[in-house]
Structure formats: structure tokens, C-alpha cells
């Protein structure tokens, strides 16, 4: 096993787009703008695209934030530590909000994104409690404030390719179970609504 800093196994690590106003955000606007992943859109270690808002401006500067397959999103602000792997399932241009940081692994290193995401979840307490990256809000909830430099320097233990493949398999199974569970829950809601 080898320990490496996150910055040494990535091609890019960047903060999400700062969107200062809701004037240009809408659920309805889907043509020509950008779909925005917010903290609220990450649920159960997965991204829910159902309630995503769209930034309804063509802004070439936002292209800098475009997500790619297998980008890892980590909450760098807020009160809940969240991590998810982005999988592009449609043609929408998608960007993370400013409360998220994107971690883009170097594909040439053949390191599993599912392993890195699982490792970061496992090390949650070490990540958010170190380096003065946590503060208390007025209602006594911890508030995460991770700087890019904090994220760059997270130490990752690189395990064997076999362990990474096992994690990939389990992550795929877990994701499948979650999607089936969500689908069944929606079917139950439809039946309940039809009977009311």
C-alpha cells in the first residue's frame, strides 16, 4: 500500500461555480443553459437529477466548471458532508454549485473513482475536523469550510487493484439497489395518491 496526496492522483480539483442570485436559476429552463448540482441534489451517496435547477444563461466562463464522467463531488461548504460520483446520463451541460468541489482523477493511473469516493467517506471526520475546516453555526451545528488546499493535501492510501475492483462491484450493486428502492417508493406513492 502506498500513501499519496489527492492532488498527486488528479488532473484537476476545482471549486464549483459561484452563482450569487436565484434570478437566473429555474427548474423549467432546460434549453441552452447549465444544469446545476447543489448539495441538496446529493442524496444517499448519489446524485438525484429530479430537482436540479438550471442556470439559464449562456456564459462561456461557466464552461470551466463542466462536469465529466467519473468526477467526484465533495461538499466543501454547508452542514452535511456529502460525496457522490457524477455519471453523465444525458446531454445537459452540468456544473457543480459553489458549495461543492470537483475532484477529477488522472485516468492514466487506473485508480477507481468508487474507491476514492468510499475512502473519502470513510475519512470524513479526519477531513472536516482537521485544518480548522469546521466551525459552529449560531444554532450549534458544525459548518464545513474546506479550502482547496485542504482537499489537495488529503492523504489517500492506495490499495491493490483487486480491492478496488471489489469496491467497484459493490458500489455498482448498491447503486442498483438504491435506484430500485427509489422506483418502488415512487410506485407506492402513485398507488397511495390514486386511492386518496
Amino acid at each position: 500500500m502506498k500513501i499519496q496526496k489527492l492532488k498527486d492522483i488528479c488532473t484537476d480539483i476545482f471549486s464549483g461555480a459561484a452563482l450569487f442570485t436565484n434570478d437566473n436559476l429555474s427548474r423549467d429552463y432546460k434549453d441552452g443553459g447549465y444544469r446545476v448540482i447543489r448539495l441538496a441534489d446529493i442524496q444517499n451517496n448519489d446524485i438525484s437529477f429530479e430537482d436540479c435547477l438550471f442556470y439559464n444563461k449562456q456564459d462561456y466562463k461557466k464552461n470551466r466548471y463542466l462536469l465529466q464522467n467519473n468526477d467526484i463531488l465533495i461538499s466543501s461548504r454547508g452542514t452535511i458532508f456529502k460525496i457522490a460520483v457524477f455519471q453523465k446520463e444525458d446531454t445537459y451541460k452540468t456544473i457543480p454549485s459553489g458549495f461543492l468541489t470537483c475532484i477529477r482523477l488522472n485516468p492514466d493511473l487506473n485508480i477507481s473513482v468508487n474507491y476514492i469516493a468510499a475512502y473519502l467517506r470513510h475519512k470524513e471526520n479526519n477531513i472536516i475536523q482537521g485544518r480548522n475546516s469546521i466551525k459552529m453555526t449560531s444554532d450549534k451545528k458544525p459548518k464545513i469550510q474546506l479550502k482547496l488546499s485542504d482537499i489537495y493535501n488529503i492523504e489517500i492510501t492506495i490499495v491493490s487493484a483487486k480491492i478496488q475492483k471489489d469496491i467497484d462491484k459493490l458500489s455498482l450493486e448498491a447503486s442498483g439497489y438504491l435506484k430500485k428502492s427509489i422506483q418502488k417508493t415512487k410506485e407506492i406513492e402513485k398507488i397511495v395518491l390514486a386511492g386518496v
Side-chain angles (χ1 to χ4, degrees):
M1 286 190 291
K2 182 172 155 185
I3 295 176
Q4 290 195 282
K5 289 191 174 177
L6 194 56
K7 66 181 178 182
D8 297 327
I9 61 171
C10 292
T11 58
D12 203 358
I13 298 174
F14 60 89
S15 297
L19 303 169
F20 296 111
T21 175
N22 283 339
D23 294 345
N24 298 314
L25 291 171
S26 166
R27 279 192 177 82
D28 302 323
Y29 191 86
K30 297 182 180 180
D31 298 321
Y34 300 86
R35 177 172 55 194
V36 179
I37 305 289
R38 301 163 298 150
L39 277 176
D41 300 317
I42 297 177
Q43 302 161 9
N44 302 312
N45 301 328
D46 204 2
I47 299 170
S48 171
F49 295 105
E50 286 188 24
D51 292 321
C52 285
L53 298 176
F54 286 77
Y55 181 71
N56 63 3
K57 278 188 163 184
Q58 277 294 351
D59 182 352
Y60 74 93
K61 292 178 184 174
K62 296 293 185 275
N63 288 337
R64 156 75 179 99
Y65 303 99
L66 287 176
L67 292 174
Q68 298 176 10
N69 254 353
N70 295 319
D71 282 346
I72 299 169
L73 297 176
I74 180 173
S75 54
S76 49
R77 301 279 180 272
T79 56
I80 302 173
F81 190 70
K82 295 183 177 186
I83 295 175
V85 177
F86 175 76
Q87 296 296 331
K88 193 167 178 64
E89 298 174 353
D90 50 42
T91 58
Y92 292 125
K93 294 186 287 186
T94 306
I95 61 175
S97 76
F99 279 61
L100 295 166
T101 295
C102 176
I103 299 167
R104 186 168 295 152
L105 296 182
N106 183 341
D108 296 337
L109 298 178
N110 293 317
I111 297 173
S112 162
V113 294
N114 293 312
Y115 168 67
I116 297 300
Y119 185 87
L120 293 171
R121 281 186 208 104
H122 174 70
K123 292 292 186 180
E124 170 184 343
N125 289 336
N126 294 7
I127 293 168
I128 63 174
Q129 289 178 359
R131 305 175 190 90
N132 297 321
S133 56
I134 191 163
K135 300 195 183 320
M136 300 304 275
T137 61
S138 58
D139 57 356
K140 306 288 187 214
K141 287 184 182 175
K143 186 174 181 184
I144 300 164
Q145 293 185 330
L146 288 171
K147 294 181 262 179
L148 280 178
S149 59
D150 297 330
I151 296 170
Y152 292 154
N153 292 309
I154 294 171
E155 292 185 339
I156 305 287
T157 303
I158 306 298
V159 295
S160 70
K162 183 195 178 312
I163 292 173
Q164 291 185 49
K165 281 183 185 172
D166 290 345
I167 288 172
D168 281 341
K169 182 182 174 193
L170 290 169
S171 294
L172 190 63
E173 288 175 10
S175 180
Y177 291 139
L178 179 62
K179 285 177 181 166
K180 281 182 186 171
S181 174
I182 290 168
Q183 183 181 13
K184 296 292 181 193
T185 301
K186 286 180 183 174
E187 287 174 22
I188 291 168
E189 287 173 2
K190 281 182 185 176
I191 293 168
V192 168
L193 287 172
V196 174

